[in-house]
Amino acid sequence: MSSHPTVQTPVDEVPPAQRLPMTLPLLSEKKRLTDPIVMVTAYDYPSARAAEAAGVDLVLVGDSAATTMLGYNATTPVVLEDMLVLARAVRRGLRTPLLIGDLPFGSYEISDEQAITTAMRMVKEAGCEAVKLEGGGEASVRRARAIIGAGIPVMGHVGLTPQTSTALGGWKAQGRTAAAASRIAAEALALQEAGCFALVFEAIPSGVTEELMGLIDIPVIGIGAGPATDGQVLVFHDLLGIRDGLGPRFVKRYANLQQEMNDGVSAYAEDVRSRRYPGPEHTYSINAAELAELRERLAPTLQEREL
Ligand code: KIV
């Protein structure tokens, strides 16, 4: 019997050094075994280290970075160059999760050539192993097919697609009528047929997700799509509470790091103002003789200043 951990071994029983890097066949195997797939977003080295330590399967450098990292109020302003900087930092912090780079708005819609060029930059310059693009309409499916044709795995994304949320009527659940849900089904099937290795279902009623799951053979990762999907994804800042406000209904908060950060920086500021920081334990020492000699050397300069 192989001594390697298999996909069936719970990740918390596998020593991190022995964990196998996630691959596309392993991901399909997880779906076949109904072993829940864990995905999280990351945008820098520390968030990547946290994802690695938790043994998650998939890490997405999401264009949600526009809001979580860059302070925009939508995902549309983030540009490819920003995404590459963030993805490179994430790459340096990861060993085992599969790294997926989100294609930002405006970086893939214009032509197949533009889409392939952008996806290639994500792979060559940032070390991403796959890319994700939003939408299951004709144009998105064509771009997905082109990128896959160039040898880069693509994750699709249907339901609420924040890059085009204005056209979708705002930041709200999708597929709440039979007609709208059928459109999502058609988009998901078209992306699967184009060769996507997995799909994200975002903000879809859980009853709709249950119906659609029977149609889809590739892994489906949900965010606000209920428990029937093959896995779940959450935005790093949402799950750790690095944000103001509660965020969307589907977010479960596992920490309140924004409050922790505010408290930490306030305590530091208070310590500096009250001269409690730095204490003796935070300072470097110098030999007494060296200090005496320094005083002698500085004395003439000090005298000149006093004149
Ligand atoms: O950009 C992002 O964070 C995403 C996830 C919500 C899937 O697309």
Side-chain angles (χ1 to χ4, degrees):
M1 211 173 86
S2 162
S3 62
H4 283 295
T6 71
V7 72
Q8 284 160 290
T9 311
V11 72
D12 48 5
E13 289 172 22
V14 181
Q18 280 178 35
R19 217 181 289 138
L20 289 178
M22 181 49 62
T23 60
L24 301 189
L26 276 178
L27 201 63
S28 306
E29 184 66 353
K30 271 184 156 272
K31 178 179 172 86
R32 196 183 65 76
L33 296 169
T34 64
D35 185 8
I37 297 165
V38 184
M39 173 164 153
V40 69
T41 67
Y43 314 101
D44 56 13
Y45 183 78
S47 52
R49 295 306 299 155
E52 178 72 48
V56 309
D57 302 303
L58 306 173
V59 167
L60 172 72
V61 184
D63 67 348
S64 48
T67 55
T68 58
M69 298 293 289
L70 304 177
Y72 296 114
N73 64 4
T75 57
T76 43
V78 70
V79 295
L80 179 60
E81 302 303 327
D82 296 331
M83 294 296 291
L84 288 168
V85 171
L86 302 175
R88 276 186 215 114
V90 171
R91 176 73 282 165
R92 289 190 281 271
L94 286 189
R95 191 180 66 82
T96 51
L98 190 87
L99 178 58
I100 304 161
D102 220 359
L103 302 188
F105 184 65
S107 74
Y108 61 96
E109 297 90 335
I110 295 169
S111 64
D112 287 354
E113 191 182 333
Q114 186 206 27
I116 294 170
T117 305
T118 301
M120 281 185 169
R121 290 194 67 190
M122 281 288 200
V123 171
K124 283 169 82 88
E125 297 177 34
C128 291
E129 290 155 305
V131 297
K132 177 171 85 57
L133 55 75
E134 289 190 9
E138 208 188 306
S140 294
V141 172
R142 207 174 322 126
R143 301 298 171 247
R145 192 177 282 115
I147 297 169
I148 294 161
I152 299 171
V154 174
M155 172 178 257
H157 182 158
V158 297
L160 175 59
T161 45
Q163 292 176 4
T164 46
S165 60
T166 309
L168 293 175
W171 202 288
K172 57 181 193 186
Q174 301 295 306
R176 296 185 104 163
T177 64
S182 305
R183 275 197 298 279
I184 295 175
E187 292 179 353
L189 285 169
L191 288 163
Q192 171 172 272
E193 195 271 326
C196 287
F197 71 93
L199 295 174
V200 167
F201 277 14
E202 179 164 355
I204 296 173
S206 47
V208 171
T209 302
E210 276 170 40
E211 298 303 319
L212 302 195
M213 286 307 290
L215 307 173
I216 310 290
D217 299 322
I218 55 178
V220 175
I221 315 296
I223 175 163
T229 53
D230 302 300
Q232 297 292 328
V233 55
L234 275 180
V235 166
F236 188 82
H237 287 53
D238 287 345
L239 82 94
L240 292 178
I242 314 175
R243 58 174 295 152
D244 298 322
L246 286 175
R249 171 187 172 81
F250 54 75
V251 171
K252 180 168 176 186
R253 191 170 270 193
Y254 292 85
N256 191 352
L257 294 195
Q258 187 64 59
Q259 193 56 53
E260 290 270 314
M261 289 196 287
N262 295 354
D263 292 349
V265 177
S266 296
Y268 159 70
E270 184 48 36
D271 272 5
V272 171
R273 290 187 185 116
S274 62
R275 301 188 188 280
R276 276 196 302 270
Y277 175 82
E281 69 277 28
H282 305 119
T283 59
Y284 298 102
S285 62
I286 180 172
N287 170 294
E290 293 294 337
L291 194 57
E293 186 182 332
L294 174 67
R295 284 194 189 113
E296 269 174 39
R297 288 183 186 210
L298 295 182
T301 319
L302 275 173
Q303 273 161 14
E304 264 173 43
R305 281 169 60 88
E306 278 161 17
L307 287 178

